[in-house]
Amino acid sequence: MDIELRKARRNSLFQELKPVCVTLSQFALRDDGSTEHLKAIEDSTSHLLQILQQKCRSPDTNLDEKLADYVFFPLSHVLKRCQRVRGRLAELATQCLRVLLEQGWKRGIPIDLAHQLWLLLTVFAGGGPANVTVAEELRTEAYGALAALFQDLQNTPKGPSSLVEVSRIPALGHCLTVILEGVTDGSSAETQMEALAALGSLWSCVKDQQARADFLPGTVSALTKCLMPNTQTPRKWKVLAKALDVLKIVLILSLGDVHIISSAKNRAEAKDGSTLTDPWLKATGSQIKLALANVVKLKMHKREEVRRALMSLCLAILDECHTSLIEPAPLLVETSMSLSELQDPDQWPPRQTTLRDLVAIYPSVTELVKNITYNWSTSFPRIMQSNDESSKHTAMHQLLQAYRLLAGLNTRSETLNGAMLDALRDGVVGILELTGSVGIIQESPVGSAHDTSLMLAGQTASSIEFRPIIMLHESQVQSREQLESLIRGLGSSELQVQMATDMLARLEWASGTDLLSTFWLAFQLVKASQSSSKDLETFLSPVLTSRNQTERIIEELYAYSLSVLLEAEDDSVDWRLLAVGLEVIALSAQSSGESFRPDLVDVLYPIVQLLGSPNLQLRAHAVTSLNIISKSCGYNDTSTMILDNVDYLVNAISLKLDTFDISPRAPQVLIMMVKLSGPSLLPYLDDVVGSIFAALENFHGYPRLVETLFSVLIEIVHQGSRSDQLLPIAAPNTSHRKKAPQDISVDEIVNALKKKKIKSSTEAGLVQEDFPRRPWKSAKELLDQSETSEPPTEKSRVAETDQNAEVEKAPPTKTYAMLQSITRLGQHYLTSQSALLRRRLLDLISTACDALYVDEDEFLPLINDIWPVIIKRLYDKEPFVVVAASRVVAGICTYAGDFVSTRIKVEWPRLTKLFWQTKNKAETEMKGSHARGIYAHNWQVWEGFINLMISIVEHVRIDDDMFDEALSILSDTLARRDDVHRALSAFNADAVWLEEQRRSSTKRRATPLLTGYRYSDITNLSSTTSGIPDM
């Protein structure tokens, strides 16, 4: 049934081809050279090509040798015509011929016909006269047809041998030259691809080793030229991959061990005049090595397909030409090692040889791998000291692939391990020396925009991951990741532990960047080993892993890290060494879990003190380590951990202050702790505050130190003012604001007169009695009364005691007492030469007053103590200090009220003089040509004095003369400031109204009307008289 169906399909194809072939044959045989006739031939040929492409391109086509011969008959006449004139017709005829070669004669072709077509296609491909131009499309189709032709000859009996006959060798050489020209000089990628396909087919068809040897130099040279990197006209990656595959075919067929060994006897005797001798083989190997040295540069190509083709070429030569091409073997092994990551079992063909197979088969390849690995290791430090990131990445990638290869083969070498360890250490040293100045550039003072305490507020993803300390630039990210991958890929966990142990031994004598490199490398190896151990525990028992050794090394690194952190106050210590120590302690906490809590006694303060470092990156490292430790120990956040261990931290800071250790880090650490923990930490700081003032007393001549210590006190006061535990019980909110007097009605006057009259009559009716001339009772009567009376009971005595006893007030809390003490002791430094410190102290007192005023029994004595120093700051020469002082005095007047009335009255003459001077300066400055408006210093001072006078008038008892002076000074501000108008009106609204009318600062009001009275025009008055009785 299948045979009949196939015959039917063949007959159907024949019926479609027959009319077209007949028509084409008629036009070709009756060709008169006219244009119309040429057009008819082209149309018929195009019709034939369309049928062939539609019906004969599929693998199960019915086009056989006989149908191919039938179609070729009219096509041969067209091809003869194309020898004279080449154009579109030649391209169509070649395409038809190519279909016949690929499908019709694929099982074999007549040798004579093949030779004729071979010559014809060589001409079409550009092998004709030099003055004849061949279209690029025709050349492309000719190369494709040649590839199909040589494939057909390979399947034809005696076809390959016919190519190397003596009479046909020149033609074969000419054809090969034309093909190589298409490979190297083809103007399009399609032409080059077809030429490469023809070259591979020709080389596979030629079976004679002597012919292959003759054609080998030119072929390899052309392919090398094609494969060499060219920046001007780069070749397509498909062309490069195809050229590598063809080069592999050429070298294996020409120099494969199988072919060389089979002709060994002939090469030794050389009886037949063959050039295949040992000297030729050695010379050829040297030339092939030079060619491959240019080809292997493609290992850096960005396309994986090209690198995979190069990998296949190297492995094929190492395997198939292991004996014949021994000289380029090191180059091939090195290239294969660089590209070994491409041999993924999921992507690499399962039956194709891998580098690992070759290492297992050939001992020479194994030695080459070890030697190359050693050479890479020794050159690694030199490369890492350069600024070329691509070279660094390549070097690390090569070492990683080499060690993965050796680890997969379970090949160990103490020499290689030692060389690798030295290379890594020296390489990291080179990196650190290049980036040694990064820490200085990144320095910033504590308290800048980058506030470390904010990073401690919560557990975010970024705050529990350490920032890198080497290769910090964006361009170095890939190199840094590659270096970490290299360390993780250094063999098994046991080998990593062994290397880490060697690094630990070198810490004793290392120094400088060598010490940092050794320390960092040991930590990275331990971390990699710990990760590998966890992976192994999934399959193996813990006894079989190196976990115990890893834990031992972590303990040693922990002890060394703690000693490094304890020396952190020495500015000569590299911040990167401290950063590595922080990472080690964090790793130890992660390994120990909640059992790490007892160690917080030793490690918490050394870490927290780094929050005061001027180095921004070190502070960030300290924050991250605290977050990791708190999470590992089971705390909700870092704040909870610090509060739980606050006694250790406070004791450590207090000890430093008591011993007058005046390094700036202890105060800065305390600031961070107070910011982080808030008011809940303050009850533990009473002794610390005392130590701070003791240090201030002994080192008050050091301005920077004084400012740093007062920064701590300011932060304590700031947090204490927010505390809800200032008083043991809630205190009533006392206000000293004066209320405006109420208007008195006639009824109230009448009632007052009646009460006065009644009181007078009562006093008049009293009888004046004489004073007693003798005692009301005698001594005897009193004694008798005491004997007859009953003794008082215990209950009555207790009741009497309770009635007579005065109610004792609860003492203030520690936080209140601390803020009170800071305010009282801080006043002595308001005379400091530093204006900035004076202003900060005034702000401190202002903040403290906002919190302390709730307990007047404690607050008023404090005001009595600090008043003389505070009031003098109003006359300071620095404007911003005066503004701060006016704010403090205004607050004192608000909270103390009439308590400071006498003090204000005593100071009032000087204050009014100061107010007038400041007002005049501010108005003069506002009128100047270069006035800065409200931002001028005098204007800001004047605004502060206005607020001070408002507070005095509203809260302090003053007499009428003081009020008149205040009204006179503030009269200009009544219109623009409602608070001034409101405060003055509360004291004497009539005077304010009169002043407004005089200055006409507001809309003129109508004259009041009252029965029996007549009001005069106030513009004609010079006194304050308002109403005159109407006589």
Side-chain angles (χ1 to χ4, degrees):
M1 187 66 183
D2 293 340
I3 298 176
E4 294 179 357
L5 180 61
R6 188 173 185 81
K7 289 182 178 180
R9 291 178 177 177
R10 183 177 180 279
N11 291 332
S12 175
L13 177 62
F14 174 72
Q15 295 300 326
E16 291 187 39
L17 291 172
K18 180 177 179 181
V20 179
C21 292
V22 171
T23 303
L24 181 60
S25 179
Q26 292 175 354
F27 283 123
L29 292 175
R30 292 181 300 178
D31 184 13
D32 57 0
S34 62
T35 306
E36 294 79 4
H37 206 80
L38 177 61
K39 182 68 169 59
I41 295 176
E42 287 184 1
D43 293 341
S44 299
T45 307
S46 178
H47 189 195
L48 175 62
L49 176 62
Q50 183 178 2
I51 295 175
L52 290 175
Q53 288 180 341
Q54 290 179 354
K55 302 294 183 178
C56 305
R57 281 290 187 183
S58 59
D60 58 344
T61 178
N62 297 306
L63 183 64
D64 55 10
E65 294 85 353
K66 293 183 179 180
L67 282 178
D69 293 340
Y70 178 78
V71 175
F72 181 72
F73 175 75
L75 194 62
S76 62
H77 298 291
V78 177
L79 291 173
K80 289 180 182 179
R81 190 182 189 284
C82 293
Q83 293 180 5
R84 301 189 304 271
V85 180
R86 300 167 196 168
R88 174 62 179 166
L89 181 59
E91 180 182 350
L92 294 173
T94 306
Q95 290 179 351
C96 294
L97 179 61
R98 182 175 179 177
V99 175
L100 297 180
L101 291 170
E102 291 176 348
Q103 303 296 334
W105 292 315
K106 60 184 178 182
R107 298 181 181 85
I109 185 174
I111 295 178
D112 293 338
L113 176 61
H115 292 168
Q116 294 177 7
L117 295 177
W118 165 22
L119 298 176
L120 177 64
L121 293 174
T122 302
V123 174
F124 283 177
N131 58 353
V132 179
T133 303
V134 181
E136 191 66 24
E137 293 79 3
L138 178 58
R139 295 186 65 186
T140 303
E141 294 299 331
Y143 286 134
L146 280 173
L149 175 61
F150 289 127
Q151 186 64 36
D152 295 342
L153 278 174
Q154 189 176 356
N155 298 329
T156 302
K158 297 183 181 181
S161 60
S162 64
L163 287 176
V164 294
E165 293 179 0
V166 177
S167 59
R168 295 193 175 100
I169 286 293
L172 180 61
H174 178 63
C175 179
L176 179 60
T177 302
V178 173
I179 293 175
L180 294 178
E181 289 178 356
V183 171
T184 57
D185 302 330
S187 58
S188 65
E190 290 77 9
T191 302
Q192 296 171 10
M193 289 290 291
E194 295 295 347
L196 287 170
L199 178 61
S201 180
L202 184 150
W203 210 265
S204 299
C205 185
V206 175
K207 305 297 183 181
D208 186 71
Q209 286 298 115
Q210 183 62 48
R212 290 174 176 172
D214 294 337
F215 296 143
L216 180 63
T219 303
V220 172
S221 177
L223 289 174
T224 303
K225 181 180 178 181
C226 175
L227 292 170
M228 288 180 62
N230 189 351
T231 56
Q232 296 180 353
T233 56
R235 300 184 187 274
K236 300 292 184 180
W237 67 268
K238 293 183 179 180
V239 175
L240 296 176
K242 183 65 176 178
L244 289 170
D245 292 337
V246 173
L247 180 60
K248 177 177 65 175
I249 294 173
V250 170
L251 293 178
I252 291 176
L253 292 178
S254 302
L255 301 172
D257 291 341
V258 176
H259 306 288
I260 295 299
I261 293 175
S262 63
S263 58
K265 183 177 180 180
N266 294 332
R267 289 191 292 106
E269 298 176 358
K271 295 180 180 179
D272 55 353
S274 174
T275 59
L276 301 178
T277 60
D278 291 333
W280 174 87
L281 186 61
K282 185 176 181 180
T284 301
S286 301
Q287 297 300 318
I288 296 297
K289 180 181 179 181
L290 296 177
L292 291 176
N294 294 317
V295 173
V296 296
K297 295 178 181 179
L298 292 174
K299 65 183 178 181
M300 305 302 298
H301 199 277
K302 61 182 180 179
R303 294 291 301 195
E304 182 179 336
E305 292 85 351
V306 177
R307 299 197 305 270
R308 192 177 296 276
L310 178 61
M311 178 73 175
S312 178
L313 169 65
C314 295
L315 294 178
I317 296 175
L318 287 172
D319 189 19
E320 301 292 339
C321 308
H322 181 72
T323 304
S324 56
L325 293 180
I326 192 65
E327 189 170 353
L331 178 65
L332 300 174
V333 172
E334 183 177 358
T335 305
S336 301
M337 292 173 64
S338 301
L339 301 173
S340 59
E341 82 280 358
L342 298 176
Q343 298 183 15
D344 188 356
D346 297 334
Q347 299 180 359
W348 194 256
R351 296 184 179 181
Q352 191 167 345
T353 305
T354 64
L355 181 59
R356 184 172 299 181
D357 299 332
L358 297 178
V359 172
I361 296 173
Y362 302 108
S364 59
V365 176
T366 305
E367 293 300 321
L368 286 175
V369 169
K370 291 182 179 180
N371 293 335
I372 293 171
T373 303
Y374 182 82
N375 294 334
W376 283 351
S377 300
T378 54
S379 62
F380 181 75
R382 175 182 53 80
I383 297 175
M384 298 304 290
Q385 291 177 357
S386 66
N387 292 321
D388 188 358
E389 294 300 323
S390 61
S391 300
K392 296 179 183 178
H393 180 264
T394 302
M396 289 183 286
H397 177 73
Q398 289 175 342
L399 278 178
L400 177 60
Q401 298 304 324
Y403 268 84
R404 283 180 177 176
L405 177 63
L406 294 175
L409 296 172
N410 197 21
T411 303
R412 297 184 180 182
S413 174
E414 295 297 333
T415 303
L416 284 179
N417 293 340
M420 185 62 194
L421 209 55
D422 293 337
L424 285 175
R425 188 188 70 254
D426 296 340
V428 175
V429 167
I431 296 172
L432 295 174
E433 289 178 349
L434 287 176
T435 59
S437 60
V438 173
I440 300 175
I441 297 175
Q442 296 292 333
E443 286 188 358
S444 63
V446 179
S448 60
H450 183 83
D451 192 355
T452 310
S453 62
L454 296 179
M455 301 176 63
L456 289 165
Q459 296 285 354
T460 59
S462 60
S463 63
I464 57 175
E465 294 181 1
F466 286 107
R467 298 178 182 178
I469 62 174
I470 63 172
M471 298 183 177
L472 306 178
H473 300 292
E474 291 294 330
S475 60
Q476 298 175 321
V477 173
Q478 190 176 11
S479 298
R480 183 178 67 247
E481 294 175 352
Q482 191 67 39
L483 178 59
E484 294 173 354
S485 300
L486 173 60
I487 295 173
R488 290 193 300 268
L490 289 179
S492 61
S493 174
E494 182 181 356
L495 179 59
Q496 292 168 343
V497 170
Q498 180 181 355
M499 289 184 173
T501 304
D502 296 339
M503 289 287 102
L504 283 176
R506 302 183 185 187
L507 286 176
E508 298 179 358
W509 50 266
S511 61
T513 54
D514 191 20
L515 173 62
L516 176 58
S517 172
T518 304
F519 189 27
W520 182 84
L521 191 55
F523 169 65
Q524 295 296 327
L525 288 169
V526 169
K527 189 165 61 172
S529 173
Q530 189 180 43
S531 177
S532 302
S533 299
K534 291 180 180 179
D535 295 338
L536 286 174
E537 286 177 5
T538 307
F539 307 99
L540 302 177
S541 171
V543 179
L544 301 179
T545 66
S546 57
R547 181 175 180 182
N548 294 333
Q549 297 180 358
T550 303
E551 292 178 352
R552 177 183 58 80
I553 296 178
I554 291 178
E555 291 177 358
E556 295 182 11
L557 284 175
Y558 169 79
Y560 183 79
S561 301
L562 186 58
S563 65
V564 170
L565 293 179
L566 291 175
E567 300 175 358
E569 295 185 3
D570 187 0
D571 295 335
S572 62
V573 179
D574 193 333
W575 73 268
R576 293 169 294 184
L577 192 67
L578 301 175
V580 178
L582 291 172
E583 295 184 20
V584 171
I585 293 178
L587 179 65
S588 179
Q590 288 177 327
S591 302
S592 302
E594 294 190 7
S595 60
F596 189 77
R597 287 194 175 191
D599 295 330
L600 293 177
V601 179
D602 300 322
V603 305
L604 196 54
Y605 178 76
I607 296 177
V608 172
Q609 72 171 347
L610 295 179
L611 297 178
S613 171
N615 189 285
L616 182 64
Q617 293 175 331
L618 184 57
R619 294 207 305 266
H621 247 68
V623 169
T624 305
S625 63
L626 287 174
N627 292 337
I628 294 175
I629 292 172
S630 62
K631 183 178 180 180
S632 301
C633 293
Y635 292 102
N636 294 331
D637 50 31
T638 305
S639 177
T640 306
M641 180 181 67
I642 290 181
L643 286 176
D644 194 33
N645 299 272
V646 68
D647 49 347
Y648 307 128
L649 295 172
V650 172
N651 289 339
I653 296 174
S654 181
L655 180 62
K656 288 183 176 294
L657 294 174
D658 290 340
T659 56
F660 300 116
D661 185 352
I662 58 174
S663 63
R665 288 193 177 181
Q668 291 167 352
V669 169
L670 192 54
I671 292 175
M672 293 297 175
M673 290 172 54
V674 174
K675 283 184 178 181
L676 173 64
S677 303
S680 57
L681 180 63
L682 300 185
Y684 302 94
L685 300 180
D686 48 353
D687 293 336
V688 175
V689 171
S691 301
I692 289 176
F693 279 106
L696 287 171
E697 184 178 357
N698 287 276
F699 299 98
H700 58 271
Y702 298 89
R704 294 289 299 275
L705 177 62
V706 172
E707 291 181 5
T708 303
L709 293 176
F710 268 110
S711 298
V712 179
L713 299 176
I714 291 172
E715 187 61 34
I716 291 175
V717 172
H718 176 70
Q719 296 294 335
S721 64
R722 298 161 50 190
S723 175
D724 55 355
Q725 299 178 356
L726 281 174
L727 295 178
I729 58 175
N733 189 8
T734 304
S735 175
H736 297 278
R737 185 183 296 273
K738 307 301 181 184
K739 297 182 180 180
Q742 299 180 353
D743 296 335
I744 301 176
S745 63
V746 177
D747 294 337
E748 291 176 347
I749 296 174
V750 172
N751 292 332
L753 293 174
K754 288 180 178 180
K755 291 179 180 179
K756 184 176 181 181
K757 184 178 181 180
I758 294 171
K759 183 178 180 181
S760 299
S761 61
T762 303
E763 291 178 352
L766 294 176
V767 179
Q768 187 71 25
E769 296 181 357
D770 192 11
F771 61 88
R773 300 295 181 179
R774 62 184 181 83
W776 290 339
K777 290 183 180 182
S778 63
K780 183 176 180 304
E781 292 175 350
L782 292 174
L783 291 173
D784 294 341
Q785 185 179 357
S786 62
E787 290 177 356
T788 58
S789 62
E790 297 180 358
T793 62
E794 182 68 23
K795 183 176 181 180
S796 63
R797 284 198 299 268
V798 173
E800 183 178 1
T801 303
D802 293 340
Q803 291 178 1
N804 297 331
E806 184 179 356
V807 178
E808 295 184 0
K809 183 181 177 181
T813 62
K814 286 187 176 182
T815 302
Y816 189 96
M818 185 187 305
L819 267 61
Q820 189 181 39
S821 175
I822 292 174
T823 306
R824 180 173 281 109
L825 296 176
Q827 64 169 324
H828 304 298
Y829 297 89
L830 281 173
T831 57
S832 172
Q833 295 180 356
S834 173
L836 180 62
L837 179 60
R838 297 198 301 270
R839 195 265 299 170
R840 296 185 68 185
L841 285 176
L842 289 169
D843 291 340
L844 180 150
I845 296 174
S846 177
T847 305
C849 290
D850 293 340
L852 298 177
Y853 79 95
V854 293
D855 188 355
E856 287 193 345
D857 294 339
E858 298 289 339
F859 179 65
L860 296 181
L862 174 65
I863 297 302
N864 182 68
D865 294 340
I866 67 175
W867 177 263
V869 183
I870 296 295
I871 199 66
K872 290 181 180 178
R873 291 302 102 206
L874 290 176
Y875 310 98
D876 199 285
K877 60 181 180 180
E878 295 293 340
F880 63 92
V881 177
V882 177
V883 172
S886 63
R887 185 165 55 250
V888 175
V889 176
I892 291 175
C893 293
T894 301
Y895 299 135
D898 294 341
F899 179 78
V900 295
S901 60
T902 304
R903 296 169 176 80
I904 292 294
K905 187 174 183 179
V906 171
E907 198 67 27
W908 188 254
R910 294 185 63 194
L911 287 177
T912 54
K913 181 179 179 181
L914 178 64
F915 292 164
W916 279 115
Q917 293 175 352
T918 306
K919 179 181 178 181
N920 294 332
K921 290 180 181 179
E923 290 177 350
T924 303
E925 192 173 25
M926 289 289 289
K927 296 178 182 178
S929 58
H930 300 286
R932 291 182 293 174
I934 61 175
Y935 300 104
H937 289 165
N938 289 320
W939 185 263
Q940 292 179 354
V941 173
W942 170 235
E943 289 291 328
F945 285 161
I946 292 175
N947 296 330
L948 171 58
M949 295 181 69
I950 292 174
S951 179
I952 293 174
V953 172
E954 283 186 334
H955 301 92
V956 181
R957 183 178 65 251
I958 59 176
D959 55 27
D960 293 339
D961 294 337
M962 295 172 63
F963 174 77
D964 291 341
E965 292 184 10
L967 179 59
S968 178
I969 295 172
L970 298 177
S971 59
D972 294 341
T973 62
L974 289 173
R976 67 181 179 90
R977 290 193 57 166
D978 293 338
D979 54 347
V980 175
H981 189 281
R982 185 168 52 253
L984 296 175
S985 298
F987 189 91
N988 190 342
D990 294 337
V992 174
W993 176 82
L994 181 61
E995 185 66 26
E996 288 178 336
Q997 292 297 327
R998 282 183 174 179
R999 291 184 173 273
S1000 299
S1001 58
T1002 60
K1003 183 179 179 180
R1004 182 164 181 165
R1005 302 179 184 180
T1007 303
L1009 298 177
L1010 184 63
T1011 304
Y1013 288 86
R1014 175 177 57 82
Y1015 286 84
S1016 301
D1017 189 359
I1018 63 174
T1019 58
N1020 298 324
L1021 297 178
S1022 59
S1023 62
T1024 58
T1025 304
S1026 298
I1028 302 175
D1030 191 3
M1031 301 303 294

